C-alpha cells in the first residue's frame, strides 16, 4: 500500500509511510506536494493539519472527487460543524456532499485512575445522561489514591463521534442545511438505533 503524507511539521516517524515536510521557502507547498502525490498512484494520500488556505482544501476535495482517499483535519466543535467549516473555506455544498465519506470528531476525557477506580451503583441521573444504558449497567468512579494524587483520574482517553455519510446526510449537506439540523438528524438516527449510541460511549466505560 502506497501511503503518503504532507506535514508541517512531521511530528512522528511512521514506518512504511512516505512523509514530506512542507517548506514554502523553497516552493515545496502543500499544493505542490499533493499534485506530486496524485502522479504516484497513491492508495491513501493523507493530509495532516488544518488546511486554512482555500487552495489547499480545494485541491484536497478535487483529489477526493477523482477517487483518492484523502484525510485531513479541521478545527470544529463537533462532527456536523465540519461541513459548515468547509463551506466557509469556499467549498460548495454539493462538492462537500460528493467528496465526503465520513467525519470523526475527537474529544479527550480524563481517565479514571486504574489503581483506585471502584464500581458504584448507577443512579437515575446517570441513566438520564447516558440514555442507552439500562439499570444494572456497571459504572465506576475514582476514589483517589497516591497514584493519582487523590484526584481519582490519571491520564486521558479519546472519545470519538463517528458520522458516516448516507443518502439523507448527503442531501442535507448538498442543500446547505445548518450544522444544528444535521446534528439533530444524526441524533435522531442514533435514537432509533440505540446500539450505535452504546458503541459511541463504550470507551467511556473504562
Amino acid at each position: 500500500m502506497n501511503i503518503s503524507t504532507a506535514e508541517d511539521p512531521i511530528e512522528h516517524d511512521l514506518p512504511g509511510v512516505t512523509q514530506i515536510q512542507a517548506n514554502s521557502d523553497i516552493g515545496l507547498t502543500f499544493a505542490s506536494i499533493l499534485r506530486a502525490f496524485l502522479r504516484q498512484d497513491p492508495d491513501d494520500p493523507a493530509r495532516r493539519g488544518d488546511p486554512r488556505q482555500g487552495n489547499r482544501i480545494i485541491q484536497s476535495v478535487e483529489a477526493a472527487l477523482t477517487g483518492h482517499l484523502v484525510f485531513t483535519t479541521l478545527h470544529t466543535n463537533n462532527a456536523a460543524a465540519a461541513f459548515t467549516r468547509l463551506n466557509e473555506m469556499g467549498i460548495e455544498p454539493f462538492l462537500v456532499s460528493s467528496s465526503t465519506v465520513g467525519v470523526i470528531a475527537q474529544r479527550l476525557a480524563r481517565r479514571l485512575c486504574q489503581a483506585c477506580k471502584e464500581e458504584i451503583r448507577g443512579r437515575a441521573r446517570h441513566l438520564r445522561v447516558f440514555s442507552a444504558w439500562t439499570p444494572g449497567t456497571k459504572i465506576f468512579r475514582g476514589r483517589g489514591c497516591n497514584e493519582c494524587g487523590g484526584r481519582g483520574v490519571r491520564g486521558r482517553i479519546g472519545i470519538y463521534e463517528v458520522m458516516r455519510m448516507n443518502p439523507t446526510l448527503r442531501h442535507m449537506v448538498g442543500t446547505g442545511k445548518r450544522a444544528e439540523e444535521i446534528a439533530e438528524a444524526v441524533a435522531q438516527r442514533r435514537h432509533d438505533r440505540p446500539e450505535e449510541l452504546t458503541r459511541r460511549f463504550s470507551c467511556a466505560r473504562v
Side-chain angles (χ1 to χ4, degrees), residues 44-134:
D44 297 319
R47 296 240 302 116
R48 301 201 175 217
D50 189 355
R52 295 176 180 86
Q53 296 181 3
N55 62 333
R56 296 184 188 176
I57 191 64
I58 289 174
Q59 288 188 333
S60 297
V61 170
E62 290 176 350
L65 289 172
T66 58
H68 295 89
L69 182 60
V70 181
F71 293 89
T72 190
T73 59
L74 297 169
H75 292 190
T76 63
N77 290 328
N78 52 49
F83 304 115
T84 302
R85 173 74 172 152
L86 289 170
N87 294 154
E88 291 175 349
M89 298 176 73
I91 308 301
E92 295 290 342
F94 72 92
L95 290 177
V96 176
S97 172
S98 302
S99 61
T100 304
V101 175
V103 182
I104 300 177
Q106 170 186 279
R107 291 292 179 95
L108 294 178
R110 298 305 301 268
R111 183 172 186 169
L112 291 179
C113 176
Q114 302 301 293
C116 67
K117 72 174 184 179
E118 60 182 6
E119 184 178 345
I120 62 175
R121 182 178 180 181
R123 300 178 181 176
R125 61 187 179 89
H126 297 138
L127 299 178
R128 284 198 299 270
V129 174
F130 302 107
S131 58
W133 293 10
T134 57

Side-chain angles (χ1 to χ4, degrees), residues 159-180:
I159 298 179
Y160 304 92
E161 177 188 9
V162 180
M163 179 185 294
R164 291 181 296 182
M165 296 297 285
N166 57 39
T168 301
L169 281 182
R170 290 191 188 280
H171 176 74
M172 295 185 71
V173 173
T175 54
K177 298 294 185 182
R178 295 182 299 112
E180 293 80 4

